Amino acid sequence: MKRVLTVAALVALILLVGVGALLAVTFMGRKPVVDGQEVDGIRVVEDGFSAFAVMPIGDGRVALVDAGEDQAGAAITRELVRRQLGPDAVVAILLTHGHPDHTGALRQFPKAQIMALEAEVPLIEGRAGARGPLPRLFPVSPTGVTVTRALRDGEVVTLGDVPVRVYAVPGHTAGSAAYVANGVLFVGDSADVASDGSLQGSPWIFSDSQSDNRASLVGLERRLTADGVNVSAIVPAHSGIAAGVAPLTAFARRNE
Ligand SMILES: [Zn+2]
């Protein structure tokens, strides 16, 4: 019996070390997030493992891109206090996708419109699970969150005085979205910026389909060009900001 337990403990340890090594490899070589970095009036705020963005939309109101990891929303509250704003100033939250490190504080803002692509709604509301090798291990249960506005690929949603373009980039999750506002391209977890400034696709271990993700990024580059969208910066959720659209263009040329 003792021997069985020892073997079980060893197997568990090996698994733990294996997963740890995989995660270390996944996050190595990324450009780190700079907490509080601003680009074209939009501020990126670190919240533990991930980052969200705060976008002023006029009249003392803001929109968020993602809602951080912390369910209590402490980093969001700190940022609002810094701006001398209360929680009601958050009128909209655009979700790049439904993984829990991006939806943490949603329930703290019951008056905000929660926006996401239609295909992502079941994951955000906890009616379906994510399909990535690691996320699929987590149980599915209702999150208590309701998406109040399901977005369509290609639409332009106007928040206050800021038009936001919506692009479907399925792959990291089925309903992953990229948004462009004020020339800033938000890619969530669909891409990362490496320490050498190049763009990488989403990591295998957290993603539904790496090949769909790559194809979506190639398609996104084409669509931004076709739409005449000027991208001044690319903002991922787990790595630092890249200047200009060049890293996405180079990614598309490497992967098309
Ligand atoms: Zn994710």
Side-chain angles (χ1 to χ4, degrees):
M1 187 63 192
K2 204 172 166 190
R3 192 170 187 161
V4 172
L5 281 175
T6 311
V7 171
L10 259 174
V11 168
L13 186 68
I14 290 165
L15 275 173
L16 207 67
V17 170
V19 169
L22 254 173
L23 292 179
V25 166
T26 300
F27 295 113
M28 254 174 4
R30 288 187 184 189
K31 184 177 177 180
V33 172
V34 177
D35 184 37
Q37 187 171 1
E38 289 201 12
V39 52
D40 291 335
I42 293 166
R43 188 177 177 95
V44 174
V45 179
E46 201 168 24
D47 184 14
F49 174 63
S50 68
F52 60 89
V54 185
M55 185 196 311
I57 57 168
D59 297 330
R61 296 167 303 162
V62 297
L64 304 181
V65 180
D66 288 337
E69 183 185 0
D70 172 23
Q71 299 201 357
I76 300 176
T77 302
R78 267 198 307 276
E79 175 58 21
L80 292 172
V81 168
R82 196 187 70 80
R83 293 171 182 263
Q84 298 181 305
L85 299 174
D88 291 355
V90 179
V91 294
I93 303 174
L94 291 159
L95 294 172
T96 59
H97 65 297
H99 282 156
D101 51 327
H102 302 260
T103 60
L106 286 180
R107 282 174 301 175
Q108 303 294 334
F109 301 95
K111 290 184 181 166
Q113 287 255 32
I114 310 291
M115 303 182 179
L117 278 174
E118 187 143 28
E120 197 71 350
V121 174
L123 179 60
I124 294 163
E125 297 185 348
R127 290 182 281 109
R131 304 306 308 153
L134 199 60
R136 78 168 59 194
L137 302 178
F138 298 117
V140 178
S141 63
T143 55
V145 169
T146 303
V147 174
T148 52
R149 177 154 174 193
L151 302 171
R152 291 184 315 276
D153 181 28
E155 83 170 287
V156 178
V157 53
T158 303
L159 306 176
D161 51 21
V162 179
V164 181
R165 281 179 180 271
V166 181
Y167 292 97
V169 284
H172 179 61
T173 58
S176 278
Y179 302 105
V180 186
N182 290 351
V184 178
L185 171 63
F186 297 95
V187 292
D189 290 1
S190 292
D192 270 300
V193 176
S195 43
D196 65 2
S198 66
L199 205 73
Q200 304 172 334
S202 61
W204 161 78
I205 194 162
F206 295 115
S207 300
D208 286 17
S209 164
Q210 261 196 323
S211 57
D212 286 358
N213 164 256
R214 277 27 172 194
S216 287
L217 291 175
V218 171
L220 177 64
E221 191 267 340
R222 267 192 216 125
R223 293 178 68 193
L224 290 170
T225 306
D227 292 346
V229 176
N230 237 331
V231 172
S232 59
I234 302 172
V235 177
H238 296 289
S239 45
I241 297 172
V245 78
L248 177 63
T249 310
F251 178 94
R253 296 299 92 80
R254 286 199 306 275
N255 289 275
E256 61 197 359

